[in-house]
Amino acid sequence: MASLKGVPLLELQGDIDHSNCGAVETALSEILNDGAQVVLLDFSRVTYLDSGGICVLLSGCRRARDSGWLGVIDPNQNVRRLLEIVGLLVDPGFRVFDDRPAAEAALSGALSQEEET
Amino acid sequence: MTASLPPEIHRAIKVGASTACLAEIRRFVEEVGVEVALDLERIFDLKVAVSEACANAVEHAGCDAMSLDVCARLQARRLTFTVTDTGLFRPPSPRWDRVSSRGLGLPLMVALMDEVTFVRTPGGGTAVSLSVLLDRDMSPPA
């Protein structure tokens, strides 16, 4: 399992559709079941997403929302547009980052905030 | 540029009613989209919308033995993909919608397309038509 600053990172690629989103759901559920509060998904090599994949993100986001969030890194413009249409971009349990350094910066901010409190 | 576009086209494929066929359907949509010189964003929209209609149809069909007909037609600068299944129509079930993504498919189709219509076919199947207007985003002639 890859990670970024100790946060689990799922690296996905290709088309995520109804035929294979079950595998993504299983992987994400396992990470959340293990107690992760923040999960990152690298979308830089994801070419396509349909409602099957969106549903996995929505349910993961719902589970993470109370104590953490789901972060998607570098979705292409078309995928990002879909995330916007279904309202994920304004969900408090969901974040989008342009690249890995941006995600790392957000994680550093979150960690230092925890130290302050 | 527009003069070189085919004035009318008609293409069709038949695939198994299985989610494993969605990638093949998307390739078909992409080929047609490229042929009529749609921009990549509109092609992506069509791939999602047609794919969603097919995923719904796969649920209706209920088994892989059935097939889906996907047809593309360009007429009067309107590109329409029609997905026809032969399965029995099942009304949406709230219980099922909670655990599937079926609740998202229709809103996505409506959001991405210029026109969406559903027709019950005589055999008990469903035909979903998804249209984009080719002139929608074009700038007026100089």
Side-chain angles (χ1 to χ4, degrees):
Chain A
M1 166 63 63
S3 68
L4 197 66
K5 283 191 172 285
V7 169
L9 173 72
L10 269 180
E11 293 171 309
L12 305 168
Q13 61 178 318
D15 290 6
I16 301 175
D17 68 9
H18 289 272
S19 72
N20 58 19
C21 62
V24 180
E25 172 145 53
T26 302
L28 183 57
S29 290
E30 278 173 8
I31 293 170
L32 290 167
N33 290 344
D34 284 345
Q37 297 188 321
V38 175
V39 183
L40 294 169
L41 299 98
D42 190 330
F43 262 50
S44 57
R45 293 198 290 164
V46 171
T47 45
Y48 172 88
L49 185 72
D50 71 9
S51 68
I54 292 171
C55 201
V56 172
L57 294 180
L58 281 168
S59 66
C61 180
R62 235 175 267 139
R63 285 187 63 187
R65 194 184 288 149
D66 289 339
S67 52
W69 44 268
L70 220 61
V72 165
I73 300 171
D74 193 20
N76 70 38
Q77 282 306 313
N78 288 321
V79 169
R80 187 186 282 250
R81 208 153 39 82
L82 291 187
L83 300 178
E84 185 174 13
I85 288 171
V86 299
L88 267 169
L89 296 194
V90 293
D91 192 296
F94 191 81
R95 300 189 190 179
V96 175
F97 302 104
D98 288 343
D99 50 27
R100 288 197 185 199
E104 277 186 90
L107 291 171
S108 304
L111 294 175
S112 61
Q113 266 181 4
E114 277 171 23
E115 283 162 14
E116 284 165 18
T117 51
Chain B
M1 281 298 286
T2 52
S4 67
L5 294 181
E8 291 195 2
I9 64 163
H10 188 199
R11 304 266 183 279
I13 55 164
K14 187 188 271 291
V15 297
S18 154
T19 56
C21 294
L22 293 177
E24 183 183 349
I25 291 163
R26 289 197 295 274
R27 275 195 298 277
F28 171 71
V29 173
E30 182 157 8
E31 282 168 17
V32 173
V34 167
E35 188 177 350
V36 302
L38 278 183
D39 63 43
L40 294 178
E41 189 179 305
R42 290 303 267 168
I43 292 176
F44 185 90
D45 290 352
L46 273 167
K47 279 159 82 172
V48 174
V50 175
S51 198
E52 296 296 346
C54 291
N56 274 2
V58 168
E59 276 185 26
H60 292 162
C63 74
D64 292 359
M66 290 185 166
S67 60
L68 291 180
D69 290 305
V70 184
C71 120
R73 195 181 282 274
L74 175 68
Q75 262 181 330
R77 305 203 52 75
R78 167 194 293 263
L79 178 62
T80 301
F81 283 83
T82 303
V83 177
T84 308
D85 72 69
T86 52
L88 292 173
F89 180 79
R90 289 187 208 152
S93 145
R95 179 187 289 272
W96 173 241
D97 282 355
R98 265 207 303 280
V99 294
S100 80
S101 51
R102 194 160 156 196
L104 267 181
L106 179 58
L108 274 179
M109 288 183 236
V110 172
L112 297 172
M113 295 292 96
D114 291 325
E115 194 178 288
V116 180
T117 60
F118 288 80
V119 175
R120 196 87 57 91
T121 60
T126 309
V128 184
S129 293
L130 306 144
S131 300
V132 294
L133 306 177
L134 268 57
D135 295 323
R136 195 190 65 150
D137 297 323
M138 286 187 177
S139 46

